[in-house]
Amino acid sequence: MTAPDPSHDVDSLLPRLNELRSALAQAVVGQHEVVEQLLIGLLAGGHCLLEGAPGLGKTLLVRSLGQALELQFRRVQFTPDLMPSDILGTELLEEDHGTGKRAFRFQQGPIFTNLLLADELNRTPPKTQAALLEAMQERTVSYAGTTYALPSPFFVLATQNPIEQAGTYPLPEAQLDRFLLHVRVDYPSETEERDILAQTTGSHSGAVPKVMDADAVKALQLAVRDVHISSDLLSWITRLVRASRPGDGAPAEVNNWIKWGAGPRAGQSLVLAAKARALLQGRFAATREDVQALAAPVMRHRLLLSFAAEAEHKSADDVIAALLRAVPFPA
């Protein structure tokens, strides 16, 4: 990550986070927990996967975030016929009219941006989904033997429909593990739904003002790394992640319901997300409550459920709740 503008003082940037919340609220009604998790992903420098039924405002939320940040924003609609080159780019054969010589030139695809909205990611086959793997982990794109760096900062904010719906493909585990958070978008409350109807059927434009630039985002991301986390909290996170793996010493729920547990990247993600939540709330030290609040979004997509769990209608969130009970924080 390149160094941000030193003129951006972290203390002066913290109030801008509240402005960012307010800007998003002008377009998105409710979904406060979803907005918070999205901002945590932004501060932690990680990618987010938003899952929910169609029509719940997932695309609107990501697009509104792109409008509030002075970052380059692009959207890719994932469809069954989308090809990897439609995302990464392709080589074009060009002729120099002066010399007549021909040469290939790499035409960058929409992934060369700061904020990429991968809309309905699971409606494209795994071949195309895999085109994002290198970009999400390394922030680079390799094509024809050449590696191209992506702009900084770089985020993938993907939406997906529930896999039970027709026309969806399950995301590969390697790709799921690259998402910092798996954010669940649920139906709004009755009051929120009434406000949505009033706001979207009148003359209100719902314009989102720009409140933060790229340097400010990068300064906050660096500040997240400096948020304090105690050794007890680090040890607890380590035990939580390790306890999610079936084997001797694992909780009974894990051995019964989990086929494959979370890897070390889950622990890294939980530490960074907890730090980001602390900074988002104006604190410079992560707490047990930060970890508890983010254990499910960080780990739910990293656990592979067994057939027994499916037969008993158990979800990854049920396992994570059992983990938090079975691995208590040290007194």
Side-chain angles (χ1 to χ4, degrees):
M1 183 185 298
T2 58
D5 187 342
S7 65
H8 283 296
D9 179 64
V10 174
D11 290 332
S12 66
L13 288 175
L14 291 180
R16 302 266 289 278
L17 292 173
N18 291 328
E19 295 177 22
L20 187 56
R21 287 178 187 267
S22 301
L24 293 176
Q26 295 188 29
V28 180
V29 176
Q31 301 291 3
H32 303 296
E33 187 174 349
V34 174
V35 170
E36 179 178 77
Q37 292 179 16
L38 202 61
L39 294 182
I40 287 170
L42 174 74
L43 295 180
H47 313 293
C48 293
L49 177 65
L50 285 76
E51 180 180 352
L56 295 183
K58 301 185 297 296
T59 302
L60 173 64
L61 176 57
V62 177
R63 189 172 64 241
S64 300
L65 180 62
Q67 293 171 353
L69 301 172
E70 294 183 52
L71 302 175
Q72 188 178 24
F73 170 75
R74 289 181 179 174
R75 175 180 182 269
V76 176
Q77 178 65 52
F78 282 72
T79 58
D81 60 346
L82 195 72
M83 298 297 290
S85 59
D86 296 326
I87 305 169
L88 304 178
T90 188
E91 283 190 327
L92 301 177
L93 182 61
E94 292 187 340
E95 180 178 348
D96 188 322
H97 296 292
T99 64
K101 292 183 178 180
R102 295 183 177 182
F104 283 101
R105 179 180 63 84
F106 180 63
Q107 177 66 42
Q108 295 182 351
I111 200 170
F112 286 85
T113 187
N114 295 120
L115 179 58
L116 177 69
L117 168 55
D119 209 6
E120 295 187 298
L121 177 60
N122 62 336
R123 291 200 180 276
T124 196
K127 173 184 177 181
T128 305
Q129 293 173 7
L132 293 174
L133 290 178
E134 179 189 353
M136 293 175 67
Q137 181 62 28
E138 308 296 337
R139 267 67 172 181
T140 59
V141 169
S142 297
Y143 193 97
T146 303
T147 299
Y148 303 90
L150 293 170
S152 178
F154 172 73
F155 311 100
V156 175
L157 300 179
T159 69
Q160 75 168 4
N161 300 126
I163 60 174
E164 295 82 6
Q165 291 194 343
T168 61
Y169 299 83
L171 298 179
E173 286 79 5
Q175 185 161 37
L176 285 172
D177 197 35
R178 282 164 168 78
F179 285 104
L180 179 84
L181 300 177
H182 181 183
V183 183
R184 291 271 172 80
V185 184
D186 207 347
Y187 289 100
S189 66
E190 181 177 349
T191 301
E192 291 170 346
E193 192 160 353
R194 182 186 179 280
D195 291 341
I196 291 172
L197 298 181
Q199 181 170 310
T200 58
T201 57
S203 58
H204 175 67
S205 63
V208 179
K210 294 188 180 298
V211 298
M212 195 176 295
D213 60 13
D215 282 339
V217 171
K218 289 189 281 188
L220 287 168
Q221 288 177 345
L222 288 177
V224 164
R225 299 276 177 163
D226 291 331
V227 171
H228 176 71
I229 186 165
S230 68
S231 58
D232 285 345
L233 205 52
L234 278 175
S235 298
W236 186 47
I237 291 172
T238 303
R239 292 198 302 272
L240 279 174
V241 173
R242 292 180 64 83
S244 72
R245 304 164 193 164
D248 295 338
E253 294 87 350
V254 171
N255 285 326
N256 292 336
W257 298 337
I258 295 298
K259 187 176 181 181
W260 193 262
R265 191 179 283 152
Q268 295 171 326
S269 298
L270 192 49
V271 170
L272 281 175
K275 288 184 173 187
R277 185 176 187 266
L279 190 67
L280 186 62
Q281 296 184 359
R283 293 181 280 110
F284 292 92
T287 65
R288 176 177 54 181
E289 288 71 24
D290 294 322
V291 176
Q292 291 171 329
L294 292 164
V298 166
M299 296 178 66
R300 62 166 60 112
H301 56 299
R302 295 181 161 99
L303 303 179
L304 183 60
L305 298 179
S306 66
F307 290 114
E310 296 177 8
E312 297 178 38
H313 303 289
K314 298 298 182 181
S315 68
D317 285 14
D318 295 325
V319 180
I320 295 165
L323 277 174
L324 291 172
R325 293 192 299 268
V327 187
F329 187 76

